[in-house]
Structure formats: C-alpha cells, structure tokens
Amino acid sequence: MVGEFQARNHRQLVDSQMSPGEMLFRGVASQQSLKKRYKDLLKIFHPDNQCGDTKTLLLIQTEYENLRRQCYEV
C-alpha cells in the first residue's frame, strides 16, 4: 500500500502537468502523512481564517478524497 503511494508520488514529481490539488499533496507517502497534510491544509485555508479561501478548500477536500480512495483500493 505504501509502495503504491510512493510510486504515485514519484510519477507526480516527474509529470510537470500536475493539477493544483496534486501539488498540495505532493510528497505524501502514507495514509498518516496524507491525513496530517489534509489537516494542516484545512487549518491554513479554512474560510474563517484570514488566508482562507472556499475554492481552495473544496479543491483540497476533493483531492484528499481521491487520494484516500486510491489508498484503500490498493
């Protein structure tokens, strides 16, 4: 399972056509680090914060769910 995450992240680094969502989670290599990155990003971009942005928050949530599903499918 972790190997698949690492392989996917390596492909992301090689591919220069990454989406903004993929870039936010680049370097994530395990379920724990995925969850931690997600929580950290939520703290930064939550709409109640000064730097908050609803569109970015939706992007983060969508990419997190995609990565989480991929992790469980492996």
Side-chain angles (χ1 to χ4, degrees), residues 10-35:
H10 178 71
R11 287 190 304 269
Q12 287 178 347
L13 290 172
V14 172
D15 184 9
S16 62
Q17 299 286 335
M18 283 192 285
S19 73
E22 290 173 330
M23 291 178 71
L24 289 169
F25 288 95
R26 185 174 64 184
V28 171
S30 69
Q31 288 181 14
Q32 289 176 324
S33 61
L34 175 65
K35 190 173 184 177

